[in-house]
Amino acid sequence: MDIEYGPDAERFREEIQSVLAEELPADWSGIGAIPDIEQANQFIEHWREVLYRHTLLGLTWPTEYGGRGLTKLHQVVLTEEFAKAGVPVGGHNDTFGIKMVGNTLLRWGTDEQKRHFLPRILSGEYRWCQGYSEPNAGSDLASLSTRATARDGEWVINGQKVWTSQAQRANWIFVLARTDPDAPKNRGLSFLLVPMGQPGLQVRPIQSATGDSEFNEVFLDDVRTPVDNVVGPVNSGWQVAQTLLGYERGDEAATNPILFRAEFDRIVALARETGADSDPVVRQKLAQLLIEVEIMRYLGYRVLTGYLAGSAPGAESSVSKLYWSEYHKRATDLAFELAGMRVQADVGRRPLRGYRTDDPGAPNTSASWIGSYINARAGTIYAGTSEVQRNILAEAVLGLPREPRVAR
């Protein structure tokens, strides 16, 4: 495990710190401190323009597509500094546009696809969402039923996707669809790029327990896209999809602990506000959480070391996902215990996002902690449930007997 970044990475860190000093107000304390959600969303849009102007989007992409041609380590440095400063690394849809489909196009796309899509992804002209999960295909994604048929130079798509984050803000969706209904499970799927502003494509928001509508249902009724908008070979979309899922990990391993440590510091502040910081039982619980956050940090370094060496995500990714999501339940349990009766009333600003922690600088309002508490439960489900992660570790690492499959 190598935790040294080297002189070139540190020079880039100084560049990022200069941009932050130039573009942020002197009294900046993190996007979480913006009291109004609409104002926070406006800042995100403004900040994305700042990043595009400074060529800080798509850092590792070739310069011919608008990137900087830098390394994965530079991307990690940028993400670290932004997490510390409490600013986003992109816009609402950039996780799907830049991190997922953009990087996947660099690996699988044709030259024409790269020339057309990549610059438009960086400029923000094309905003993406992910069309994977379905009502009957969540953890078992290969059993999806959305179909695409080639007809008159177009793919005609019919089906339904669900839990589609940020679909209400997107104008493109990448869809995993079944293009060979006679092939077994994952062998007849294709990865398609689909424009959203067309008849037959409907987005319906899903209101979560926190009151947000970040997730959506997407219905596709004879939705069309040019036949050339398939990424990778036809009927080989499963391999393309797995490549994309790998980009969900990596630099997050180094930045997750920063966010969780910022949340831990808020819990300590909450203990001080309520006078519980002198209680020996509370102090022991806080000490245990701090130990776990530090373990998370070094586990992140381990995952990051393999990621930077070009290794495919392995068992460490499952350990990391299982670890932080289960930890977050325990952390928010303690926050609820410390907040006491105040969590009976939903007062103040709720979390700005529906996954992991609230943003750095967030206030210790009851609404923030209620939202974080509920989101912590969701964290054991999205990106691979805790049960799925345990199965992966049991079977792939410990060599235990495989779980019986209904299909078998």
Side-chain angles (χ1 to χ4, degrees):
M1 184 171 65
D2 184 4
I3 62 174
E4 298 295 331
Y5 283 14
D8 185 56
E10 294 304 331
R11 283 192 295 270
F12 182 67
R13 190 185 302 277
E14 292 174 359
E15 176 189 337
I16 299 306
Q17 291 170 348
S18 296
V19 171
L20 292 170
E22 174 187 347
E23 298 289 351
L24 292 176
D27 60 349
W28 178 258
S29 56
I31 189 173
I34 298 176
D36 181 75
I37 288 182
E38 186 56 39
Q39 290 178 351
N41 286 329
Q42 291 172 4
F43 174 83
I44 292 173
E45 294 297 324
H46 159 74
W47 188 248
R48 194 195 189 281
E49 295 174 1
V50 170
L51 299 182
Y52 185 63
R53 173 160 42 86
H54 285 277
T55 324
L56 293 177
L57 296 171
L59 282 181
T60 62
W61 293 10
T63 55
E64 62 186 293
Y65 304 125
R68 290 273 292 268
L70 299 177
T71 69
K72 294 177 181 178
L73 185 55
H74 291 88
Q75 180 67 50
V76 170
V77 168
L78 179 140
T79 310
E80 279 185 339
E81 291 301 312
F82 279 14
K84 293 174 185 176
V87 293
V89 295
H92 292 287
N93 297 77
D94 282 332
T95 292
F96 308 104
I98 297 175
K99 190 173 185 178
M100 293 186 183
V101 73
N103 284 324
T104 301
L105 283 169
L106 286 171
R107 165 67 178 83
W108 288 94
T110 65
D111 290 341
E112 177 56 33
Q113 287 173 339
K114 294 174 187 177
R115 285 192 298 268
H116 177 79
F117 285 102
L118 294 180
R120 290 171 172 82
I121 290 173
L122 292 185
S123 70
E125 179 183 351
Y126 287 177
R127 301 182 306 278
W128 293 81
C129 60
Q130 180 179 23
Y132 272 21
S133 296
E134 298 184 4
N136 295 312
S139 297
D140 185 15
L141 182 61
S143 64
L144 63 83
S145 59
T146 294
R147 294 196 178 189
T149 304
R151 187 187 307 162
D152 299 327
E154 294 180 310
W155 291 105
V156 181
I157 308 165
N158 288 276
Q160 178 187 354
K161 300 295 180 177
V162 72
W163 310 122
T164 309
S165 300
Q166 302 296 340
Q168 75 276 24
R169 290 188 169 98
N171 53 21
W172 281 81
I173 180 172
F174 51 91
V175 174
L176 197 59
R178 191 164 301 284
T179 46
D180 184 354
D182 298 322
K185 297 205 71 165
N186 59 5
R187 297 182 186 177
L189 305 177
S190 296
F191 189 101
L192 307 176
L193 309 178
V194 182
M196 296 183 69
Q198 59 173 298
L201 195 151
Q202 184 180 14
V203 176
R204 296 182 188 172
I206 300 172
Q207 188 176 48
S208 67
T210 61
D212 297 319
S213 298
E214 181 175 328
F215 301 116
N216 302 268
E217 296 176 287
V218 177
F219 296 87
L220 304 105
D221 183 10
D222 281 348
V223 169
R224 299 170 183 270
T225 194
V227 72
D228 292 338
N229 279 357
V230 58
V231 180
V234 175
N235 297 328
S236 294
W238 186 251
Q239 290 87 342
V240 181
Q242 293 306 302
T243 297
L244 182 141
L245 289 173
Y247 291 123
E248 288 191 271
R249 309 176 181 95
D251 55 320
E252 285 185 359
T255 57
N256 271 342
I258 297 173
L259 298 175
F260 284 110
R261 177 54 192 265
E263 182 183 71
F264 169 78
D265 291 340
R266 289 179 61 212
I267 297 175
V268 172
L270 185 60
R272 289 175 175 152
E273 289 175 13
T274 60
D277 58 320
S278 60
D279 184 318
V281 175
V282 171
R283 292 173 68 87
Q284 181 62 36
K285 291 180 178 180
L286 289 171
Q288 181 61 37
L289 291 181
L290 178 58
I291 290 169
E292 293 181 23
V293 167
E294 286 299 291
I295 291 173
M296 190 190 306
R297 180 162 67 95
Y298 283 99
L299 176 60
Y301 283 142
R302 180 176 179 178
V303 176
L304 176 61
T305 298
Y307 171 74
L308 295 176
S311 300
E316 294 90 345
S317 294
S318 290
V319 172
S320 178
K321 169 58 174 62
L322 179 63
Y323 188 95
W324 71 252
S325 58
E326 293 294 332
Y327 158 86
H328 201 206
K329 288 198 302 183
R330 295 189 291 275
T332 53
D333 279 344
L334 180 56
F336 253 44
E337 178 184 331
L338 294 171
M341 292 298 293
R342 75 168 72 176
V343 295
Q344 298 298 314
D346 193 353
V347 177
R349 183 190 58 71
R350 62 182 185 269
L352 297 178
R353 54 181 172 172
Y355 60 96
R356 292 182 177 83
T357 70
D358 203 347
D359 286 283
N364 267 332
T365 62
S366 62
S368 174
W369 283 117
I370 291 169
S372 297
Y373 179 90
I374 295 172
N375 290 338
R377 274 69 197 156
T380 62
I381 300 173
Y382 63 69
T385 68
S386 291
E387 291 76 12
V388 167
Q389 304 306 325
R390 291 187 179 104
N391 279 351
I392 291 172
L393 294 172
E395 297 173 5
V397 179
L398 301 178
L400 297 178
R402 295 180 65 85
E403 182 184 30
R405 303 296 201 268
V406 174
R408 295 178 181 176

